[in-house]
């Protein structure tokens, strides 16, 4: 039965509801990311940075790559606009029927892919086992591959919940994963003597978390009258439309994740080089650029820069994606332009000061969170080196999340695909070039990702403006200008505090992080308030918006 679309008079209230959901997602994501940091604190202190941990983190990236490409990436991005349109125009029953079809075929395809990958890994381990580190890498990957199936189905069900206005569980589900890994490490893995055996227990705890997350998802889907029974036949017409969107989305939405995996593969290969000079260029001997432990440093460095990215920008992008899709389905170009403008201003308002904070606090932050136990001060310094280069691109990492969803809401997958193909090659080339620069070294992976993200934002913004017309460039530049000034004031205040604290006997990592963070946030907020930045009122809630207006 057709459903009457909301009138334009209802649009402001609807827009506020979806932008307001970003705050709920951010709060729950904050709890999840704090749990992730606690998890990494336990792992870093228990196992340090070694060839064994390099193998574990590289293996853990494989199912997570598929999660980001399929579950949280292309599959979810293809589901949201189609599900939203069917829910708007045909009603909840048809939307539920589509979800059952998607879960059925996705579950079948992902299970088949998982079995094929595991068979290939076992065959490789039999025919070409390699050294002990290679054997560990293959073994850990085989153990954790089924997590790909459970986490991708979780992401699909979560996307459907977000389309009907439920945002809490999708943002909170990773908390269970963190608790399982911490419990597996502390309660079970400690009964084994070797790090390799203990990390096998950690890998199994990942699988247990995946099953538990699906159980909670099924209960919530039933509460919202959405089907939890996967169905293969008959094929819903919306599924065919999803397939046409899905394949071209794989690379552009996953470009950052693909780059992250390529980073670790390159790091793994370069750390395996002999210690003697390995390359001669024009008579210049180039020594081994990376040390053992680089993959672990990159993993922990990514955790730190993804903390504000997930809590702020991805929470915002997740909340507004269904809204973009609704406007696109109605043909409301004006509403879509206004929402994109507003989301971009908020993304930069969140990303720019986050990057400044990472640049200045990377050292004490890495020591405070990961330092201690088996993780040495030099390991923490190496991690901080990576974080600083990621900090340079935080504004771009945040903005590209909004821009990509603006394209996908319009069911345009070709344009981001073409750009992403070029960017993957650019990122790969920059990695291979910058890793030999003495003052960059393993920081090349963060620097190349930042450059790639900036280029992506510039190209996507230019194309989007040509397509939709004026995106409110004046208000966008004005908002970004205010954010830049507030970030400069914030950085100056943080430098002063970080210089002063050691003279007061407070030069330890925790006081440095706490003092720098509190002063930085206070100065940024005060400067934004003096400049009358509307984005500050957006984040503080309805009362602040009324006062600002």
């Amino acid at each position: 039965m057709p459903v009457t679309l909301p009138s334009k008079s209802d649009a402001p209230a609807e827009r506020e509801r979806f932008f307001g959901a970003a705050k709920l997602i951010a709060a729950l994501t904050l709890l999840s990311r704090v749990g992730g940091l606690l998890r990494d604190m336990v792992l870093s202190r228990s196992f340090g940075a070694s060839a064994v941990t390099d193998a574990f983190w590289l293996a853990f990236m494989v199912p997570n790559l598929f999660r980001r490409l399929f579950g949280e990436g292309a599959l979810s991005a293809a589901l949201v606009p189609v599900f939203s349109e069917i829910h708007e125009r045909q009603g909840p029953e048809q939307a539920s029927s589509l979800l059952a079809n998607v879960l059925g075929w996705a579950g079948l395809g992902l299970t088949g892919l998982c079995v094929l990958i595991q068979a290939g890994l076992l065959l490789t381990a039999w025919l070409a086992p390699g050294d002990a580190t290679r054997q560990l890498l293959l073994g850990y990957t085989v153990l954790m591959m089924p997590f790909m199936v459970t986490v991708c189905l979780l992401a699909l069900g979560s996307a459907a919940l977000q389309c009907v206005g439920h945002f809490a569980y999708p943002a909170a589900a990773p908390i269970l994963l963190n608790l399982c890994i911490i419990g597996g490490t502390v309660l079970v893995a400690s009964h084994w003597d070797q790090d390799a055996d203990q990390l096998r227990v950690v890998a199994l705890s990942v699988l247990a978390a995946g099953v538990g997350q699906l159980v909670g998802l099924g209960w919530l889907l039933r509460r919202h009258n959405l089907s939890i029974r996967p169905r293969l036949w008959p094929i819903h017409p919306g599924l065919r439309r999803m397939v046409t969107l899905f394949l071209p989305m794989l690379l552009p939405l996953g470009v950052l994740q693909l780059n992250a995996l390529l980073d670790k593969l390159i790091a793994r290969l370069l750390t395996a080089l002999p210690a003697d000079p390995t390359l001669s260029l024009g008579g210049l001997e180039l020594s081994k650029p990376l040390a053992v432990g680089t993959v672990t440093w990159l993993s922990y460095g990514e955790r730190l820069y993804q903390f504000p990215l997930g809590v702020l920008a991805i929470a915002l992008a997740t909340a507004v994606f269904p809204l973009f899709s609704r406007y696109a389905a109605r043909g409301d170009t004006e509403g879509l332009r206004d929402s994109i403008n507003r989301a971009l201003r908020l993304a930069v308002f969140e990303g720019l000061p986050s990057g400044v904070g990472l640049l200045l606090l990377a050292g004490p932050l890495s020591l405070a969170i990961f330092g201690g136990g088996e993780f040495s001060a030099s390991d923490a310094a190496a991690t901080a080196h990576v974080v600083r280069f990621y900090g340079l691109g935080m504004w771009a990492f945040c903005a590209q999340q909004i821009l990509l969803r603006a394209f996908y809401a319009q069911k345009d997958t070709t344009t981001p695909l073409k750009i992403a193909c070029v960017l993957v090659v650019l990122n790969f080339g920059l990695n291979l070039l910058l890793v030999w620069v003495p003052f960059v070294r393993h920081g090349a992976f963060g620097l190349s990702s930042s450059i790639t993200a900036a280029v992506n934002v510039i190209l996507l913004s230019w194309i989007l403006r040509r397509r939709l017309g004026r995106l409110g460039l004046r208000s966008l530049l004005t908002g970004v200008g205010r954010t830049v000034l507030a970030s400069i004031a914030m950085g100056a205040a943080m430098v002063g505090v970080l210089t002063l604290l050691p003279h007061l006997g407070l030069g330890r990592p925790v006081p440095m992080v706490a003092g720098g963070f509190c002063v930085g946030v206070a100065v940024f907020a005060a400067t934004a308030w003096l400049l009358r930045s509307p984005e500050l009122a957006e984040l503080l809630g309805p009362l602040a918006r009324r006062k600002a207006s």
Side-chain angles (χ1 to χ4, degrees):
M1 177 180 177
V3 177
T4 303
L5 296 179
S7 64
K8 286 196 174 184
S9 61
D10 298 328
E14 179 186 40
R15 188 159 53 241
E16 293 303 320
R17 179 164 63 88
F18 278 93
F19 272 94
K23 299 172 188 176
L24 172 63
I25 298 173
L28 292 172
T29 305
L30 175 61
L31 292 177
S32 171
R33 294 301 169 109
V34 169
L37 288 179
L38 291 175
R39 177 195 77 187
D40 291 344
M41 288 172 66
V42 171
L43 291 174
S44 66
R45 284 164 168 76
S46 300
F47 305 111
S50 64
V52 176
T53 58
D54 281 358
F56 174 81
W57 285 114
L58 187 54
F60 188 52
M61 272 211 68
V62 177
N64 278 286
L65 172 68
F66 286 103
R67 168 179 65 87
R68 290 164 178 162
L69 286 179
F70 294 154
E72 296 174 357
L75 278 175
S76 293
L79 173 67
V80 168
V82 177
F83 185 95
S84 298
E85 183 176 342
I86 290 175
H87 195 278
E88 285 270 316
R89 297 182 180 276
Q90 301 177 28
E93 290 185 6
Q94 283 295 316
S96 179
S97 178
L98 170 64
L99 178 62
N101 225 190
V102 171
L103 291 176
W105 283 103
L108 181 64
L110 290 168
T111 301
L113 179 61
C114 177
V115 171
L116 285 175
I117 292 175
Q118 287 181 306
L121 291 170
L122 291 173
L123 185 63
T124 302
W126 179 46
L127 296 177
D131 58 15
T133 303
R134 179 185 172 89
Q135 294 172 26
L136 284 175
L137 173 60
L138 294 172
Y140 290 148
T141 308
V142 168
L143 281 178
M144 288 188 282
M145 273 310 300
F147 180 64
M148 173 193 74
V149 180
T150 61
V151 77
C152 286
L153 294 178
L154 170 71
L156 283 172
S158 298
L161 287 175
Q162 291 162 356
C163 289
V164 297
H166 181 94
F167 295 92
Y169 184 75
I175 295 174
L176 178 60
L177 172 64
N178 296 326
L179 291 176
C180 284
I181 292 179
I182 292 172
T185 303
V186 175
L187 301 178
V188 183
S190 57
H191 294 287
W192 275 261
D193 294 330
Q194 301 295 323
D195 285 354
D197 295 328
Q198 293 179 359
L199 285 171
R200 287 190 184 94
V201 175
V202 176
L204 291 174
S205 68
V206 172
L207 301 185
V211 174
Q213 288 172 328
L214 278 186
V215 172
L217 174 69
W219 179 76
L220 273 172
L221 287 175
R222 293 193 64 177
R223 286 285 305 270
H224 286 80
N225 298 317
L226 294 173
S227 177
I228 61 172
R229 290 186 177 182
R231 192 187 73 238
L232 298 177
W233 304 102
I235 295 179
H236 193 284
L239 181 60
R240 295 187 178 92
R241 292 162 55 197
M242 279 186 57
V243 171
T244 62
L245 296 173
F246 165 67
L247 293 176
M249 284 182 178
L250 273 176
L251 187 56
L253 253 188
V255 63
L256 189 60
Q257 287 73 38
L258 284 170
N259 287 341
L261 180 60
L262 286 174
D263 290 349
K264 290 182 174 59
L265 289 174
I266 295 171
R268 171 74 178 85
L269 291 173
L270 291 178
T271 53
L273 293 176
D276 296 330
T278 57
L279 181 63
S280 178
L281 184 63
L284 176 64
E285 295 289 342
L286 300 177
S287 60
K288 179 179 176 180
L290 301 178
V292 172
T294 296
V295 174
T296 303
W297 301 332
L298 291 178
S299 297
Y300 290 145
E302 288 171 4
R303 171 64 60 182
L304 290 182
Y305 99 84
Q306 287 176 356
F307 187 97
L309 180 65
V311 172
L312 300 173
I314 294 180
L316 174 63
T318 300
V320 299
F321 188 25
L323 179 66
F324 290 173
S325 299
R326 290 190 180 194
Y327 280 133
R330 299 170 194 166
D332 187 355
T333 304
E334 181 181 354
L336 180 60
R337 282 200 307 259
D338 291 344
S339 296
I340 292 172
N341 177 287
R342 181 175 174 183
L344 278 175
R345 285 188 287 107
L346 281 171
V348 176
F349 188 78
E350 295 168 343
L352 198 56
S354 297
V356 172
L358 287 176
L359 282 168
L360 297 177
L361 294 178
L365 193 60
S366 298
L367 270 174
I369 294 177
F370 304 120
E374 297 296 323
F375 203 79
S376 66
S378 61
D379 290 328
T383 300
H385 185 63
V386 178
V387 174
R388 293 187 185 97
F389 285 107
Y390 277 124
L392 293 174
M394 273 302 299
W395 67 272
F397 296 141
C398 293
Q400 74 177 355
Q401 298 292 331
I402 304 299
L403 292 168
L404 283 173
R405 284 160 177 81
F407 277 89
Y408 296 146
Q410 302 171 76
K411 301 185 180 66
D412 176 11
T413 58
T414 304
T415 302
L417 172 62
K418 293 177 180 177
I419 295 174
C421 289
V422 176
L423 294 182
V424 168
V425 176
L426 174 63
N427 183 80
F428 185 77
L430 287 173
N431 283 337
L432 293 180
L433 177 65
L434 295 173
V435 76
W436 299 96
V437 179
F439 66 89
V440 178
R441 294 300 190 192
H442 61 281
F445 303 106
L447 181 56
S448 61
S449 295
S450 295
I451 295 172
T452 300
V455 174
N456 198 23
V457 168
I458 293 170
L459 293 176
L460 290 175
S461 300
W462 179 68
I463 296 171
L464 200 61
R465 185 189 182 281
R466 292 190 62 184
R467 178 173 304 174
L468 296 178
R470 295 182 180 276
L471 295 175
L473 184 61
R474 178 177 297 180
S475 65
L476 187 59
L477 291 178
T478 302
V480 170
R482 293 193 188 103
T483 303
V484 169
L485 292 176
S487 299
I488 291 173
M490 166 189 169
M494 290 179 67
V495 169
V497 169
L498 294 175
T499 303
L500 177 63
L501 286 176
H503 296 289
L504 300 177
L506 298 173
R508 295 182 301 277
V510 173
M512 293 278 282
V513 172
F517 176 80
C518 292
V519 169
V521 170
V523 171
F524 180 82
T527 308
W529 178 76
L530 289 173
L531 295 172
R532 298 187 177 183
S533 296
E535 294 80 17
L536 179 65
E538 295 267 9
L539 297 178
L540 294 180
L543 177 61
R545 280 199 298 273
R546 284 197 296 270
K547 288 182 178 179
S549 61

